[in-house]
Amino acid sequence: MSVQTISTTPFEDQNPGTSGLRKTVPVFRQPHYLENFVQSIFDSVTGYQGKTLVLGGDGRFFNSVAIQVILKMAAANGFGKVMVGQYGILSTPAASCLIRKYGTFGGIILSASHNPGGLSGDFGIKYNIGNGGPAPEKVTNAIYARSREIREFKISDAPDVDLGKTGSVRMENMTIEVIDPVTDYAELMQSIFDFDAIRSLFAGGFRFRFDAMHAVCGPYARTIIEKMLGAPEGTVVNAVPLEDFGGHHPDPNPVNAKELMDYMNGPDGADMGAATDGDGDRNMIVGRHIAVTPSDSLAILAANATLIPGYSGGIAGIARSMPTSTAADRVAVALQVSCYETPTGWKFFGDLLDDNKITLCGEESYGTSSNHIREKDGIWAILFWLNLLAVTGKSVNEIVHDHWKSYGRNYYSRHDYVNIDSRQAAALMDHLRSQLDGLAGKRFGRYMIEKADEFSYTDPVDGSVSGRQGIRIFFTDGSRIVFRLSGTGTVGATLRVYFDRYEKDRIDQDLSAALGELIGIAGEVADIARFTGLKKPTLIT
Ligand code: VG1
Ligand code: CO
């Protein structure tokens, strides 16, 4: 067993996006592609000699190969220990939990999250820092810069490690501790929620369906929901993680989780349904004939937080990503706490959480979480809802409608134009940019534009600035259209258009009727059909 130094040449495209480096599996399988990026991570941080790294992934194709490579590189680069999930499995929130609980130096999570997997699917790698959260931009920029100069990497020639057995083994001067991926995370959940109340809910015949979408949450949900909370066996469906997620998109929204939606809207639908994504950080909450929008979910959790043991003392503040609806803002006003608006991506919440400016945060893309970790957390959000239902005795539908009655309703939708030509996508954004100065005062039917700008964020804790985070058009009635390009895709570009319209009293309108006019305005101002070549969006959520 010895450390090898291997010479290599840089790849030009290892720029981490919204959430780590995401590429197709064939790209990742090029010789040295993974090794270059991992060495670039290690070269961009200092002080890890002898320290501990957390390592795991969502079990998608290439996960088990990549884990072995990273173990050998961590050993060769001088880490003292790696805590790795059994079979190489760790959900993103569980990895964050471990980093924080054991005070490790950082962690590497292998996942392309909600992107499809398999031989020709996507793979990804994220680096998390010692607070348990995604590396901030200053770190990811340094990793990218390093990846363009890298000339060599270090790797041990040790044989592969058996990750099927928990326990410790040695590699070079490093300990590899293979741990159960669920235990620590389950303990954390138990410390936040009223497990007795949820147990009584299930004992009383409450019917729940958890769709793990053949992704990483299956084992977590089986242990927590079925074993610890006593929900009947079979409550968790699609519970076995598969390398290709059964050929599906492991993305918990009403379109990709169609099986769950059909069941919930059918004659035998459960009282509540939920789904999680590839790496377990996203969640969707569904009631009978209602899918809760993620923006509403954040607002509802914030408004009811003191009913949950872990937040009984109240919350310090709320943050939402910019395109997320303003529903949470109204709750913040009522609770007299601050509401922060950040760019898309969880890494922007880290400083606010560390500085105790906020307790809860969320994104419109089915992500919600709190200061208990530094990632979004699918199972946490689902347990929060179960806890709320247990202590209020209300249905999902009643909770949502009661919230709208108190605060008004944000009609909200996101339109995605997927895999469009990258140059055309950039041209569309430039086309919008060029109009920004002249949009205020323009009238479209009953809507008048109040102002338009390009979102730039200054982190209130470290002062770092992130520009070009989306183009916003504000209307005089408080409605908003936002345009931005996705930072998680692997082919071409994806345009996201977000619609948000607030109504204080008229809370029972049909969603498409409520947003129809705004959708027309977006098409006109951005000339969407011309630039994308598409007459309608690829995906509406
Ligand atoms: C998308 C979402 C964003 C989320 C990110 C990672 O990014 O819009 O809200 O944080 O995915 O989620 P983008 O740049 O494609 O819009 V996950 O669960 O894929 O790590
Ligand atoms: Co995810």
Side-chain angles (χ1 to χ4, degrees), residues 113-114 277 279 281-282 376:
S113 191
H114 58 286
D277 75 330
D279 61 332
D281 55 359
R282 295 186 180 207
K376 52 188 189 258

Side-chain angles (χ1 to χ4, degrees), residues 295-296 298-300 302-303 315 318 320 324-340 403-412 477-480 500-505 507:
S295 300
D296 278 346
L298 173 64
I300 289 166
I315 58 171
I318 311 171
R320 61 166 173 83
T324 303
S325 96
T326 55
D329 303 39
R330 268 176 286 282
V331 175
V333 170
L335 298 178
Q336 297 185 319
V337 297
S338 299
C339 187
Y340 296 84
H403 187 86
W404 290 343
K405 275 182 214 146
S406 307
Y407 292 93
R409 174 176 177 187
N410 282 76
Y411 291 90
Y412 190 86
D477 74 334
S479 297
R480 218 171 42 137
D500 182 12
R501 175 179 161 203
Y502 175 66
E503 287 275 1
K504 175 79 192 81
D505 301 309
I507 58 172

Side-chain angles (χ1 to χ4, degrees), residues 400-477:
V400 172
H401 275 87
D402 286 354
H403 187 86
W404 290 343
K405 275 182 214 146
S406 307
Y407 292 93
R409 174 176 177 187
N410 282 76
Y411 291 90
Y412 190 86
S413 185
R414 183 176 104 184
H415 288 190
D416 291 339
Y417 298 80
V418 179
N419 295 354
I420 57 176
D421 181 83
S422 299
R423 268 173 313 209
Q424 289 298 313
L428 179 147
M429 294 303 282
D430 281 340
H431 175 60
L432 281 169
R433 232 168 249 131
S434 70
Q435 299 176 67
L436 284 178
D437 288 341
L439 284 176
K442 275 205 176 158
R443 181 170 281 288
F444 296 84
R446 61 190 182 82
Y447 284 97
M448 165 117 102
I449 296 180
E450 184 183 305
K451 59 176 183 175
D453 67 8
E454 183 156 29
F455 182 55
S456 168
Y457 179 68
T458 304
D459 185 304
V461 180
D462 72 1
S464 59
V465 177
S466 305
R468 295 206 158 189
Q469 296 295 327
I471 288 179
R472 313 186 282 187
I473 301 180
F474 298 89
F475 296 87
T476 50
D477 74 334

Side-chain angles (χ1 to χ4, degrees), residues 286-306:
V286 192
R288 298 296 317 265
H289 305 285
I290 185 171
V292 184
T293 68
S295 300
D296 278 346
S297 183
L298 173 64
I300 289 166
L301 302 191
N304 295 290
T306 52

Side-chain angles (χ1 to χ4, degrees), residues 149-171:
E149 291 169 353
I150 191 164
R151 293 286 163 214
E152 57 183 40
F153 62 85
K154 288 201 191 108
I155 188 161
S156 164
D157 63 1
D160 282 1
V161 175
D162 176 5
L163 297 178
K165 287 198 299 272
T166 55
S168 291
V169 291
R170 296 284 291 177
M171 181 188 280

